[in-house]
PDB file of all heavy atoms in Angstrom:
ATOM      1  N   SER A   1       9.203 -19.766 -10.015  1.00  0.00           N
ATOM      2  CA  SER A   1       7.907 -19.129 -10.291  1.00  0.00           C
ATOM      3  C   SER A   1       7.209 -18.733  -8.999  1.00  0.00           C
ATOM      4  O   SER A   1       6.588 -17.687  -8.886  1.00  0.00           O
ATOM      5  CB  SER A   1       7.023 -20.066 -11.114  1.00  0.00           C
ATOM      6  OG  SER A   1       6.771 -21.258 -10.379  1.00  0.00           O
ATOM      7  N   MET A   2       7.332 -19.602  -7.986  1.00  0.00           N
ATOM      8  CA  MET A   2       6.728 -19.288  -6.693  1.00  0.00           C
ATOM      9  C   MET A   2       7.412 -18.090  -6.065  1.00  0.00           C
ATOM     10  O   MET A   2       6.766 -17.225  -5.482  1.00  0.00           O
ATOM     11  CB  MET A   2       6.821 -20.494  -5.756  1.00  0.00           C
ATOM     12  CG  MET A   2       6.180 -20.256  -4.387  1.00  0.00           C
ATOM     13  SD  MET A   2       4.415 -19.916  -4.467  1.00  0.00           S
ATOM     14  CE  MET A   2       3.794 -21.545  -4.898  1.00  0.00           C
ATOM     15  N   ASN A   3       8.732 -18.014  -6.217  1.00  0.00           N
ATOM     16  CA  ASN A   3       9.455 -16.871  -5.677  1.00  0.00           C
ATOM     17  C   ASN A   3       9.031 -15.581  -6.359  1.00  0.00           C
ATOM     18  O   ASN A   3       8.887 -14.544  -5.734  1.00  0.00           O
ATOM     19  CB  ASN A   3      10.955 -17.079  -5.834  1.00  0.00           C
ATOM     20  CG  ASN A   3      11.466 -18.133  -4.857  1.00  0.00           C
ATOM     21  OD1 ASN A   3      10.847 -18.355  -3.836  1.00  0.00           O
ATOM     22  ND2 ASN A   3      12.568 -18.780  -5.211  1.00  0.00           N
ATOM     23  N   ARG A   4       8.869 -15.668  -7.679  1.00  0.00           N
ATOM     24  CA  ARG A   4       8.445 -14.469  -8.413  1.00  0.00           C
ATOM     25  C   ARG A   4       7.042 -14.048  -7.984  1.00  0.00           C
ATOM     26  O   ARG A   4       6.753 -12.885  -7.798  1.00  0.00           O
ATOM     27  CB  ARG A   4       8.485 -14.739  -9.924  1.00  0.00           C
ATOM     28  CG  ARG A   4       9.895 -14.791 -10.499  1.00  0.00           C
ATOM     29  CD  ARG A   4       9.848 -14.697 -12.005  1.00  0.00           C
ATOM     30  NE  ARG A   4       9.123 -15.813 -12.608  1.00  0.00           N
ATOM     31  CZ  ARG A   4       9.696 -16.978 -12.929  1.00  0.00           C
ATOM     32  NH1 ARG A   4      10.985 -17.171 -12.713  1.00  0.00           N
ATOM     33  NH2 ARG A   4       8.977 -17.939 -13.485  1.00  0.00           N
ATOM     34  N   ARG A   5       6.174 -15.065  -7.807  1.00  0.00           N
ATOM     35  CA  ARG A   5       4.798 -14.770  -7.404  1.00  0.00           C
ATOM     36  C   ARG A   5       4.774 -14.079  -6.034  1.00  0.00           C
ATOM     37  O   ARG A   5       4.080 -13.104  -5.825  1.00  0.00           O
ATOM     38  CB  ARG A   5       3.972 -16.060  -7.345  1.00  0.00           C
ATOM     39  CG  ARG A   5       2.477 -15.816  -7.091  1.00  0.00           C
ATOM     40  CD  ARG A   5       1.681 -17.113  -7.085  1.00  0.00           C
ATOM     41  NE  ARG A   5       1.742 -17.770  -8.374  1.00  0.00           N
ATOM     42  CZ  ARG A   5       2.339 -18.952  -8.581  1.00  0.00           C
ATOM     43  NH1 ARG A   5       2.906 -19.576  -7.574  1.00  0.00           N
ATOM     44  NH2 ARG A   5       2.353 -19.497  -9.782  1.00  0.00           N
ATOM     45  N   ASN A   6       5.571 -14.621  -5.121  1.00  0.00           N
ATOM     46  CA  ASN A   6       5.633 -14.021  -3.786  1.00  0.00           C
ATOM     47  C   ASN A   6       6.188 -12.619  -3.839  1.00  0.00           C
ATOM     48  O   ASN A   6       5.745 -11.721  -3.119  1.00  0.00           O
ATOM     49  CB  ASN A   6       6.499 -14.879  -2.852  1.00  0.00           C
ATOM     50  CG  ASN A   6       5.785 -16.144  -2.435  1.00  0.00           C
ATOM     51  OD1 ASN A   6       4.574 -16.217  -2.500  1.00  0.00           O
ATOM     52  ND2 ASN A   6       6.548 -17.147  -2.022  1.00  0.00           N
ATOM     53  N   ALA A   7       7.196 -12.443  -4.686  1.00  0.00           N
ATOM     54  CA  ALA A   7       7.804 -11.119  -4.807  1.00  0.00           C
ATOM     55  C   ALA A   7       6.804 -10.101  -5.330  1.00  0.00           C
ATOM     56  O   ALA A   7       6.705  -8.973  -4.841  1.00  0.00           O
ATOM     57  CB  ALA A   7       9.027 -11.177  -5.724  1.00  0.00           C
ATOM     58  N   ILE A   8       6.012 -10.523  -6.350  1.00  0.00           N
ATOM     59  CA  ILE A   8       5.019  -9.625  -6.926  1.00  0.00           C
ATOM     60  C   ILE A   8       3.959  -9.262  -5.889  1.00  0.00           C
ATOM     61  O   ILE A   8       3.565  -8.104  -5.739  1.00  0.00           O
ATOM     62  CB  ILE A   8       4.366 -10.276  -8.168  1.00  0.00           C
ATOM     63  CG1 ILE A   8       5.398 -10.386  -9.292  1.00  0.00           C
ATOM     64  CG2 ILE A   8       3.165  -9.460  -8.625  1.00  0.00           C
ATOM     65  CD1 ILE A   8       4.910 -11.202 -10.493  1.00  0.00           C
ATOM     66  N   LYS A   9       3.511 -10.307  -5.127  1.00  0.00           N
ATOM     67  CA  LYS A   9       2.515 -10.041  -4.096  1.00  0.00           C
ATOM     68  C   LYS A   9       3.051  -9.093  -3.041  1.00  0.00           C
ATOM     69  O   LYS A   9       2.363  -8.176  -2.587  1.00  0.00           O
ATOM     70  CB  LYS A   9       2.089 -11.355  -3.430  1.00  0.00           C
ATOM     71  CG  LYS A   9       1.219 -12.231  -4.298  1.00  0.00           C
ATOM     72  CD  LYS A   9       0.995 -13.605  -3.678  1.00  0.00           C
ATOM     73  CE  LYS A   9       0.234 -13.501  -2.381  1.00  0.00           C
ATOM     74  NZ  LYS A   9      -0.026 -14.827  -1.788  1.00  0.00           N
ATOM     75  N   THR A  10       4.305  -9.293  -2.654  1.00  0.00           N
ATOM     76  CA  THR A  10       4.901  -8.452  -1.618  1.00  0.00           C
ATOM     77  C   THR A  10       5.035  -7.018  -2.089  1.00  0.00           C
ATOM     78  O   THR A  10       4.701  -6.071  -1.371  1.00  0.00           O
ATOM     79  CB  THR A  10       6.290  -8.994  -1.225  1.00  0.00           C
ATOM     80  OG1 THR A  10       6.137 -10.340  -0.760  1.00  0.00           O
ATOM     81  CG2 THR A  10       6.922  -8.146  -0.145  1.00  0.00           C
ATOM     82  N   VAL A  11       5.530  -6.849  -3.329  1.00  0.00           N
ATOM     83  CA  VAL A  11       5.705  -5.501  -3.863  1.00  0.00           C
ATOM     84  C   VAL A  11       4.352  -4.817  -4.019  1.00  0.00           C
ATOM     85  O   VAL A  11       4.184  -3.638  -3.694  1.00  0.00           O
ATOM     86  CB  VAL A  11       6.454  -5.558  -5.213  1.00  0.00           C
ATOM     87  CG1 VAL A  11       6.430  -4.181  -5.877  1.00  0.00           C
ATOM     88  CG2 VAL A  11       7.889  -6.004  -5.003  1.00  0.00           C
ATOM     89  N   SER A  12       3.344  -5.586  -4.482  1.00  0.00           N
ATOM     90  CA  SER A  12       2.008  -5.007  -4.642  1.00  0.00           C
ATOM     91  C   SER A  12       1.461  -4.531  -3.313  1.00  0.00           C
ATOM     92  O   SER A  12       0.879  -3.447  -3.210  1.00  0.00           O
ATOM     93  CB  SER A  12       1.062  -6.049  -5.260  1.00  0.00           C
ATOM     94  OG  SER A  12       1.514  -6.443  -6.536  1.00  0.00           O
ATOM     95  N   SER A  13       1.651  -5.353  -2.273  1.00  0.00           N
ATOM     96  CA  SER A  13       1.178  -4.967  -0.944  1.00  0.00           C
ATOM     97  C   SER A  13       1.901  -3.726  -0.458  1.00  0.00           C
ATOM     98  O   SER A  13       1.310  -2.844   0.168  1.00  0.00           O
ATOM     99  CB  SER A  13       1.402  -6.112   0.047  1.00  0.00           C
ATOM    100  OG  SER A  13       0.651  -7.238  -0.347  1.00  0.00           O
ATOM    101  N   LEU A  14       3.198  -3.657  -0.763  1.00  0.00           N
ATOM    102  CA  LEU A  14       3.984  -2.505  -0.331  1.00  0.00           C
ATOM    103  C   LEU A  14       3.490  -1.237  -0.987  1.00  0.00           C
ATOM    104  O   LEU A  14       3.312  -0.208  -0.344  1.00  0.00           O
ATOM    105  CB  LEU A  14       5.460  -2.743  -0.651  1.00  0.00           C
ATOM    106  CG  LEU A  14       6.416  -1.584  -0.318  1.00  0.00           C
ATOM    107  CD1 LEU A  14       6.384  -1.298   1.185  1.00  0.00           C
ATOM    108  CD2 LEU A  14       7.836  -1.920  -0.765  1.00  0.00           C
ATOM    109  N   PHE A  15       3.239  -1.321  -2.338  1.00  0.00           N
ATOM    110  CA  PHE A  15       2.738  -0.142  -3.040  1.00  0.00           C
ATOM    111  C   PHE A  15       1.385   0.283  -2.477  1.00  0.00           C
ATOM    112  O   PHE A  15       1.116   1.466  -2.290  1.00  0.00           O
ATOM    113  CB  PHE A  15       2.610  -0.426  -4.541  1.00  0.00           C
ATOM    114  CG  PHE A  15       3.945  -0.524  -5.249  1.00  0.00           C
ATOM    115  CD1 PHE A  15       4.092  -1.315  -6.374  1.00  0.00           C
ATOM    116  CD2 PHE A  15       5.042   0.170  -4.774  1.00  0.00           C
ATOM    117  CE1 PHE A  15       5.312  -1.400  -7.023  1.00  0.00           C
ATOM    118  CE2 PHE A  15       6.267   0.085  -5.406  1.00  0.00           C
ATOM    119  CZ  PHE A  15       6.406  -0.712  -6.542  1.00  0.00           C
ATOM    120  N   GLY A  16       0.521  -0.731  -2.206  1.00  0.00           N
ATOM    121  CA  GLY A  16      -0.797  -0.425  -1.648  1.00  0.00           C
ATOM    122  C   GLY A  16      -0.682   0.247  -0.298  1.00  0.00           C
ATOM    123  O   GLY A  16      -1.394   1.207  -0.001  1.00  0.00           O
ATOM    124  N   SER A  17       0.218  -0.267   0.542  1.00  0.00           N
ATOM    125  CA  SER A  17       0.408   0.308   1.863  1.00  0.00           C
ATOM    126  C   SER A  17       0.931   1.729   1.782  1.00  0.00           C
ATOM    127  O   SER A  17       0.503   2.608   2.529  1.00  0.00           O
ATOM    128  CB  SER A  17       1.375  -0.557   2.677  1.00  0.00           C
ATOM    129  OG  SER A  17       0.865  -1.856   2.839  1.00  0.00           O
ATOM    130  N   MET A  18       1.880   1.936   0.869  1.00  0.00           N
ATOM    131  CA  MET A  18       2.435   3.280   0.710  1.00  0.00           C
ATOM    132  C   MET A  18       1.359   4.252   0.240  1.00  0.00           C
ATOM    133  O   MET A  18       1.267   5.376   0.736  1.00  0.00           O
ATOM    134  CB  MET A  18       3.597   3.248  -0.296  1.00  0.00           C
ATOM    135  CG  MET A  18       4.830   2.490   0.215  1.00  0.00           C
ATOM    136  SD  MET A  18       6.088   2.256  -1.053  1.00  0.00           S
ATOM    137  CE  MET A  18       6.500   3.954  -1.444  1.00  0.00           C
ATOM    138  N   ALA A  19       0.530   3.790  -0.693  1.00  0.00           N
ATOM    139  CA  ALA A  19      -0.532   4.666  -1.194  1.00  0.00           C
ATOM    140  C   ALA A  19      -1.537   4.976  -0.095  1.00  0.00           C
ATOM    141  O   ALA A  19      -1.971   6.124   0.068  1.00  0.00           O
ATOM    142  CB  ALA A  19      -1.233   3.988  -2.378  1.00  0.00           C
ATOM    143  N   PHE A  20      -1.913   3.957   0.663  1.00  0.00           N
ATOM    144  CA  PHE A  20      -2.859   4.169   1.758  1.00  0.00           C
ATOM    145  C   PHE A  20      -2.268   5.103   2.798  1.00  0.00           C
ATOM    146  O   PHE A  20      -2.951   5.996   3.309  1.00  0.00           O
ATOM    147  CB  PHE A  20      -3.218   2.822   2.414  1.00  0.00           C
ATOM    148  CG  PHE A  20      -4.318   2.954   3.435  1.00  0.00           C
ATOM    149  CD1 PHE A  20      -5.634   2.723   3.085  1.00  0.00           C
ATOM    150  CD2 PHE A  20      -4.037   3.333   4.738  1.00  0.00           C
ATOM    151  CE1 PHE A  20      -6.649   2.846   4.014  1.00  0.00           C
ATOM    152  CE2 PHE A  20      -5.053   3.463   5.673  1.00  0.00           C
ATOM    153  CZ  PHE A  20      -6.357   3.215   5.300  1.00  0.00           C
ATOM    154  N   ALA A  21      -0.998   4.905   3.136  1.00  0.00           N
ATOM    155  CA  ALA A  21      -0.364   5.755   4.129  1.00  0.00           C
ATOM    156  C   ALA A  21      -0.353   7.208   3.687  1.00  0.00           C
ATOM    157  O   ALA A  21      -0.596   8.126   4.482  1.00  0.00           O
ATOM    158  CB  ALA A  21       1.059   5.273   4.385  1.00  0.00           C
ATOM    159  N   ALA A  22      -0.075   7.420   2.397  1.00  0.00           N
ATOM    160  CA  ALA A  22      -0.065   8.792   1.881  1.00  0.00           C
ATOM    161  C   ALA A  22      -1.461   9.407   1.948  1.00  0.00           C
ATOM    162  O   ALA A  22      -1.635  10.550   2.372  1.00  0.00           O
ATOM    163  CB  ALA A  22       0.441   8.788   0.434  1.00  0.00           C
ATOM    164  N   LEU A  23      -2.465   8.613   1.524  1.00  0.00           N
ATOM    165  CA  LEU A  23      -3.842   9.101   1.578  1.00  0.00           C
ATOM    166  C   LEU A  23      -4.257   9.383   3.013  1.00  0.00           C
ATOM    167  O   LEU A  23      -4.870  10.412   3.311  1.00  0.00           O
ATOM    168  CB  LEU A  23      -4.773   8.044   0.966  1.00  0.00           C
ATOM    169  CG  LEU A  23      -6.288   8.304   1.076  1.00  0.00           C
ATOM    170  CD1 LEU A  23      -6.663   9.569   0.315  1.00  0.00           C
ATOM    171  CD2 LEU A  23      -7.065   7.100   0.524  1.00  0.00           C
ATOM    172  N   ALA A  24      -3.891   8.460   3.913  1.00  0.00           N
ATOM    173  CA  ALA A  24      -4.271   8.619   5.309  1.00  0.00           C
ATOM    174  C   ALA A  24      -3.638   9.865   5.914  1.00  0.00           C
ATOM    175  O   ALA A  24      -4.278  10.591   6.689  1.00  0.00           O
ATOM    176  CB  ALA A  24      -3.854   7.387   6.111  1.00  0.00           C
ATOM    177  N   THR A  25      -2.384  10.111   5.584  1.00  0.00           N
ATOM    178  CA  THR A  25      -1.690  11.281   6.122  1.00  0.00           C
ATOM    179  C   THR A  25      -2.387  12.563   5.694  1.00  0.00           C
ATOM    180  O   THR A  25      -2.604  13.484   6.492  1.00  0.00           O
ATOM    181  CB  THR A  25      -0.226  11.297   5.658  1.00  0.00           C
ATOM    182  OG1 THR A  25       0.412  10.116   6.127  1.00  0.00           O
ATOM    183  CG2 THR A  25       0.502  12.507   6.207  1.00  0.00           C
ATOM    184  N   GLU A  26      -2.758  12.632   4.404  1.00  0.00           N
ATOM    185  CA  GLU A  26      -3.421  13.828   3.903  1.00  0.00           C
ATOM    186  C   GLU A  26      -4.786  14.005   4.559  1.00  0.00           C
ATOM    187  O   GLU A  26      -5.165  15.123   4.931  1.00  0.00           O
ATOM    188  CB  GLU A  26      -3.586  13.736   2.375  1.00  0.00           C
ATOM    189  CG  GLU A  26      -2.267  13.820   1.613  1.00  0.00           C
ATOM    190  CD  GLU A  26      -1.510  15.097   1.936  1.00  0.00           C
ATOM    191  OE1 GLU A  26      -2.124  16.185   1.948  1.00  0.00           O
ATOM    192  OE2 GLU A  26      -0.287  15.021   2.188  1.00  0.00           O
ATOM    193  N   GLN A  27      -5.507  12.898   4.727  1.00  0.00           N
ATOM    194  CA  GLN A  27      -6.837  12.997   5.334  1.00  0.00           C
ATOM    195  C   GLN A  27      -6.744  13.349   6.808  1.00  0.00           C
ATOM    196  O   GLN A  27      -7.598  14.033   7.347  1.00  0.00           O
ATOM    197  CB  GLN A  27      -7.599  11.688   5.132  1.00  0.00           C
ATOM    198  CG  GLN A  27      -8.016  11.481   3.668  1.00  0.00           C
ATOM    199  CD  GLN A  27      -8.753  10.192   3.475  1.00  0.00           C
ATOM    200  OE1 GLN A  27      -8.360   9.170   4.017  1.00  0.00           O
ATOM    201  NE2 GLN A  27      -9.828  10.210   2.693  1.00  0.00           N
ATOM    202  N   LEU A  28      -5.697  12.877   7.455  1.00  0.00           N
ATOM    203  CA  LEU A  28      -5.510  13.216   8.860  1.00  0.00           C
ATOM    204  C   LEU A  28      -5.258  14.706   9.007  1.00  0.00           C
ATOM    205  O   LEU A  28      -5.805  15.365   9.895  1.00  0.00           O
ATOM    206  CB  LEU A  28      -4.336  12.426   9.440  1.00  0.00           C
ATOM    207  CG  LEU A  28      -3.969  12.726  10.899  1.00  0.00           C
ATOM    208  CD1 LEU A  28      -5.163  12.428  11.808  1.00  0.00           C
ATOM    209  CD2 LEU A  28      -2.765  11.918  11.330  1.00  0.00           C
ATOM    210  N   LYS A  29      -4.428  15.237   8.121  1.00  0.00           N
ATOM    211  CA  LYS A  29      -4.152  16.663   8.168  1.00  0.00           C
ATOM    212  C   LYS A  29      -5.428  17.469   7.944  1.00  0.00           C
ATOM    213  O   LYS A  29      -5.630  18.521   8.541  1.00  0.00           O
ATOM    214  CB  LYS A  29      -3.109  17.035   7.100  1.00  0.00           C
ATOM    215  CG  LYS A  29      -1.713  16.491   7.402  1.00  0.00           C
ATOM    216  CD  LYS A  29      -0.747  16.852   6.276  1.00  0.00           C
ATOM    217  CE  LYS A  29       0.651  16.329   6.560  1.00  0.00           C
ATOM    218  NZ  LYS A  29       1.580  16.623   5.441  1.00  0.00           N
ATOM    219  N   ALA A  30      -6.269  16.932   7.068  1.00  0.00           N
ATOM    220  CA  ALA A  30      -7.505  17.647   6.731  1.00  0.00           C
ATOM    221  C   ALA A  30      -8.629  17.342   7.700  1.00  0.00           C
ATOM    222  O   ALA A  30      -9.693  17.942   7.627  1.00  0.00           O
ATOM    223  CB  ALA A  30      -7.934  17.286   5.307  1.00  0.00           C
ATOM    224  N   GLY A  31      -8.397  16.383   8.575  1.00  0.00           N
ATOM    225  CA  GLY A  31      -9.449  15.978   9.512  1.00  0.00           C
ATOM    226  C   GLY A  31     -10.560  15.213   8.835  1.00  0.00           C
ATOM    227  O   GLY A  31     -11.680  15.162   9.331  1.00  0.00           O
ATOM    228  N   ASP A  32     -10.268  14.592   7.678  1.00  0.00           N
ATOM    229  CA  ASP A  32     -11.273  13.867   6.907  1.00  0.00           C
ATOM    230  C   ASP A  32     -11.039  12.365   7.054  1.00  0.00           C
ATOM    231  O   ASP A  32      -9.995  11.857   6.665  1.00  0.00           O
ATOM    232  CB  ASP A  32     -11.179  14.279   5.434  1.00  0.00           C
ATOM    233  CG  ASP A  32     -12.202  13.559   4.569  1.00  0.00           C
ATOM    234  OD1 ASP A  32     -13.094  12.913   5.139  1.00  0.00           O
ATOM    235  OD2 ASP A  32     -12.083  13.644   3.330  1.00  0.00           O
ATOM    236  N   PHE A  33     -12.019  11.647   7.561  1.00  0.00           N
ATOM    237  CA  PHE A  33     -11.868  10.209   7.796  1.00  0.00           C
ATOM    238  C   PHE A  33     -12.780   9.379   6.884  1.00  0.00           C
ATOM    239  O   PHE A  33     -12.951   8.194   7.093  1.00  0.00           O
ATOM    240  CB  PHE A  33     -12.176   9.875   9.269  1.00  0.00           C
ATOM    241  CG  PHE A  33     -11.196  10.490  10.208  1.00  0.00           C
ATOM    242  CD1 PHE A  33     -11.385  11.768  10.687  1.00  0.00           C
ATOM    243  CD2 PHE A  33     -10.059   9.802  10.588  1.00  0.00           C
ATOM    244  CE1 PHE A  33     -10.472  12.343  11.552  1.00  0.00           C
ATOM    245  CE2 PHE A  33      -9.138  10.368  11.447  1.00  0.00           C
ATOM    246  CZ  PHE A  33      -9.338  11.648  11.931  1.00  0.00           C
ATOM    247  N   SER A  34     -13.371   9.998   5.886  1.00  0.00           N
ATOM    248  CA  SER A  34     -14.259   9.277   4.977  1.00  0.00           C
ATOM    249  C   SER A  34     -13.462   8.701   3.800  1.00  0.00           C
ATOM    250  O   SER A  34     -12.277   8.969   3.629  1.00  0.00           O
ATOM    251  CB  SER A  34     -15.339  10.228   4.444  1.00  0.00           C
ATOM    252  OG  SER A  34     -14.723  11.311   3.748  1.00  0.00           O
TER     253      SER A  34
END
């Protein structure tokens, strides 16, 4: 159960990071930092 919990947390963080990176890339291209 602990392994599953860690796996879920890790995957969730990865998805969040990927989403943020995508958003950041688009905002960087647009020069928008808000």
Side-chain angles (χ1 to χ4, degrees):
S1 62
M2 181 62 72
N3 287 336
R4 286 195 298 273
R5 187 178 297 114
N6 286 339
I8 292 172
K9 288 172 64 178
T10 301
V11 171
S12 299
S13 298
L14 177 61
F15 288 151
S17 299
M18 292 172 62
F20 187 95
L23 173 63
T25 300
E26 291 303 314
Q27 289 180 317
L28 177 60
K29 291 178 180 177
D32 180 11
F33 295 87
S34 60

